[in-house]
Short mmCIF file of all heavy atoms in Angstrom, two decimals:
data_model
loop_
_atom_site.label_atom_id
_atom_site.label_comp_id
_atom_site.label_asym_id
_atom_site.label_seq_id
_atom_site.Cartn_x
_atom_site.Cartn_y
_atom_site.Cartn_z
N TYR B 36 74.37 153.41 117.94
CA TYR B 36 74.05 151.99 117.79
C TYR B 36 75.18 151.33 117.00
O TYR B 36 75.75 151.92 116.09
CB TYR B 36 72.74 151.81 117.03
CG TYR B 36 71.49 152.15 117.82
CD1 TYR B 36 71.03 153.47 117.90
CD2 TYR B 36 70.76 151.16 118.48
CE1 TYR B 36 69.88 153.78 118.61
CE2 TYR B 36 69.61 151.46 119.20
CZ TYR B 36 69.18 152.78 119.26
OH TYR B 36 68.04 153.09 119.97
N GLN B 38 75.92 148.05 114.52
CA GLN B 38 75.20 147.10 113.69
C GLN B 38 76.18 146.22 112.95
O GLN B 38 76.93 146.69 112.08
CB GLN B 38 74.27 147.83 112.69
CG GLN B 38 73.36 146.89 111.92
CD GLN B 38 72.29 147.63 111.12
OE1 GLN B 38 72.50 148.76 110.66
NE2 GLN B 38 71.14 146.99 110.93
N SER B 43 70.60 143.43 113.46
CA SER B 43 69.85 144.64 113.78
C SER B 43 70.71 145.57 114.64
O SER B 43 71.71 145.15 115.22
CB SER B 43 68.57 144.27 114.51
OG SER B 43 68.87 143.69 115.77
N LEU B 46 72.03 149.03 120.81
CA LEU B 46 72.33 150.28 121.51
C LEU B 46 73.66 150.19 122.26
O LEU B 46 73.91 149.24 123.00
CB LEU B 46 71.22 150.60 122.50
CG LEU B 46 71.39 151.88 123.30
CD1 LEU B 46 71.23 153.10 122.41
CD2 LEU B 46 70.38 151.93 124.45
N GLN B 92 67.05 162.54 118.38
CA GLN B 92 65.63 162.51 118.74
C GLN B 92 65.26 163.89 119.24
O GLN B 92 65.88 164.42 120.16
CB GLN B 92 65.40 161.46 119.81
CG GLN B 92 63.97 161.15 120.13
CD GLN B 92 63.88 160.07 121.20
OE1 GLN B 92 64.58 160.13 122.22
NE2 GLN B 92 63.05 159.08 120.98
N GLY B 93 64.23 164.49 118.61
CA GLY B 93 63.85 165.84 118.99
C GLY B 93 62.46 165.90 119.58
O GLY B 93 62.12 165.13 120.46
N GLY B 94 61.64 166.80 119.09
CA GLY B 94 60.29 166.92 119.63
C GLY B 94 59.46 165.68 119.40
O GLY B 94 58.63 165.31 120.23
N SER B 95 59.70 165.01 118.31
CA SER B 95 59.05 163.73 118.05
C SER B 95 59.85 162.62 118.71
O SER B 95 61.04 162.77 118.94
CB SER B 95 58.99 163.48 116.54
OG SER B 95 58.73 162.13 116.24
N GLU B 96 59.22 161.52 119.02
CA GLU B 96 59.94 160.40 119.63
C GLU B 96 60.66 159.54 118.60
O GLU B 96 61.38 158.63 118.98
CB GLU B 96 58.97 159.54 120.45
CG GLU B 96 58.46 160.26 121.68
CD GLU B 96 57.76 159.33 122.65
OE1 GLU B 96 58.21 158.19 122.82
OE2 GLU B 96 56.76 159.77 123.25
N LEU B 98 63.42 158.28 116.02
CA LEU B 98 64.86 158.44 115.84
C LEU B 98 65.13 158.78 114.39
O LEU B 98 64.57 158.18 113.48
CB LEU B 98 65.58 157.15 116.22
CG LEU B 98 65.52 156.73 117.68
CD1 LEU B 98 66.24 155.40 117.89
CD2 LEU B 98 66.12 157.80 118.59
N GLY B 101 71.66 158.60 110.91
CA GLY B 101 72.59 158.80 109.82
C GLY B 101 72.72 157.50 109.04
O GLY B 101 72.13 156.47 109.40
N ARG T 31 56.11 151.96 124.66
CA ARG T 31 56.34 152.52 123.33
C ARG T 31 56.81 151.42 122.39
O ARG T 31 57.68 150.61 122.75
CB ARG T 31 57.44 153.60 123.38
CG ARG T 31 56.94 155.01 123.40
CD ARG T 31 56.48 155.45 124.75
NE ARG T 31 56.29 156.90 124.75
CZ ARG T 31 55.73 157.55 125.73
NH1 ARG T 31 55.29 156.90 126.81
NH2 ARG T 31 55.60 158.87 125.67
N TYR T 33 57.92 150.97 118.14
CA TYR T 33 58.28 151.71 116.93
C TYR T 33 58.54 150.73 115.79
O TYR T 33 59.09 149.65 115.99
CB TYR T 33 59.55 152.53 117.16
CG TYR T 33 59.54 153.40 118.40
CD1 TYR T 33 59.84 152.86 119.65
CD2 TYR T 33 59.26 154.76 118.33
CE1 TYR T 33 59.83 153.64 120.79
CE2 TYR T 33 59.27 155.56 119.46
CZ TYR T 33 59.55 154.99 120.69
OH TYR T 33 59.54 155.77 121.82
N TYR T 35 60.52 150.66 112.00
CA TYR T 35 61.46 151.31 111.09
C TYR T 35 61.67 150.38 109.90
O TYR T 35 61.44 149.17 109.97
CB TYR T 35 62.81 151.55 111.77
CG TYR T 35 62.79 152.56 112.89
CD1 TYR T 35 62.43 152.18 114.18
CD2 TYR T 35 63.15 153.89 112.68
CE1 TYR T 35 62.41 153.10 115.23
CE2 TYR T 35 63.15 154.82 113.71
CZ TYR T 35 62.78 154.42 114.98
OH TYR T 35 62.76 155.33 116.01
N GLN T 37 64.77 149.53 106.93
CA GLN T 37 66.17 149.78 106.58
C GLN T 37 66.52 149.08 105.29
O GLN T 37 66.27 147.88 105.12
CB GLN T 37 67.11 149.30 107.69
CG GLN T 37 68.57 149.67 107.46
CD GLN T 37 69.47 149.25 108.60
OE1 GLN T 37 69.17 148.32 109.34
NE2 GLN T 37 70.59 149.96 108.78
N GLN T 41 71.84 152.17 104.17
CA GLN T 41 71.13 153.29 104.77
C GLN T 41 70.87 153.04 106.25
O GLN T 41 70.84 151.89 106.69
CB GLN T 41 69.79 153.52 104.07
CG GLN T 41 69.87 153.74 102.57
CD GLN T 41 70.57 155.02 102.22
OE1 GLN T 41 70.32 156.08 102.83
NE2 GLN T 41 71.47 154.98 101.25
N GLY T 42 70.67 154.12 107.00
CA GLY T 42 70.22 153.94 108.37
C GLY T 42 68.73 153.63 108.39
O GLY T 42 68.04 153.84 107.39
N PRO T 43 68.24 153.12 109.50
CA PRO T 43 66.80 152.86 109.61
C PRO T 43 65.98 154.13 109.41
O PRO T 43 66.38 155.21 109.85
CB PRO T 43 66.65 152.32 111.04
CG PRO T 43 68.00 151.77 111.39
CD PRO T 43 68.98 152.67 110.70
N GLU T 56 52.15 158.62 115.68
CA GLU T 56 52.82 159.29 114.57
C GLU T 56 53.03 158.31 113.43
O GLU T 56 53.35 157.14 113.67
CB GLU T 56 54.16 159.89 115.01
CG GLU T 56 54.84 160.74 113.94
CD GLU T 56 56.09 161.44 114.42
OE1 GLU T 56 56.37 161.40 115.63
OE2 GLU T 56 56.81 162.01 113.58
N TYR T 99 61.37 159.42 125.19
CA TYR T 99 62.77 159.77 124.98
C TYR T 99 63.74 158.82 125.67
O TYR T 99 64.92 159.13 125.83
CB TYR T 99 63.04 161.21 125.43
CG TYR T 99 62.15 162.21 124.75
CD1 TYR T 99 61.33 163.08 125.48
CD2 TYR T 99 62.07 162.27 123.35
CE1 TYR T 99 60.50 163.98 124.84
CE2 TYR T 99 61.23 163.17 122.72
CZ TYR T 99 60.45 164.02 123.47
OH TYR T 99 59.62 164.91 122.84
N PRO T 101 65.91 155.20 125.62
CA PRO T 101 66.55 154.45 124.52
C PRO T 101 65.63 153.39 123.93
O PRO T 101 64.87 152.73 124.65
CB PRO T 101 67.76 153.81 125.20
CG PRO T 101 68.07 154.73 126.33
CD PRO T 101 66.76 155.23 126.82
N GLN T 102 65.71 153.24 122.63
CA GLN T 102 64.92 152.25 121.91
C GLN T 102 65.78 151.01 121.66
O GLN T 102 66.91 151.12 121.20
CB GLN T 102 64.41 152.84 120.59
CG GLN T 102 63.48 154.03 120.81
CD GLN T 102 63.01 154.66 119.53
OE1 GLN T 102 63.03 154.05 118.46
NE2 GLN T 102 62.58 155.91 119.61
N GLY T 105 64.51 144.72 117.80
CA GLY T 105 64.45 143.30 117.57
C GLY T 105 65.38 142.90 116.43
O GLY T 105 66.09 143.75 115.87
#
Side-chain angles (χ1 to χ4, degrees):
Chain B
Y36 287 84
Q38 187 170 31
S43 65
L46 180 70
Q92 189 179 47
S95 163
E96 292 193 38
L98 294 177
Chain T
R31 260 80 168 171
Y33 309 82
Y35 293 84
Q37 187 177 25
Q41 304 294 316
E56 187 174 352
Y99 304 124
Q102 297 177 22

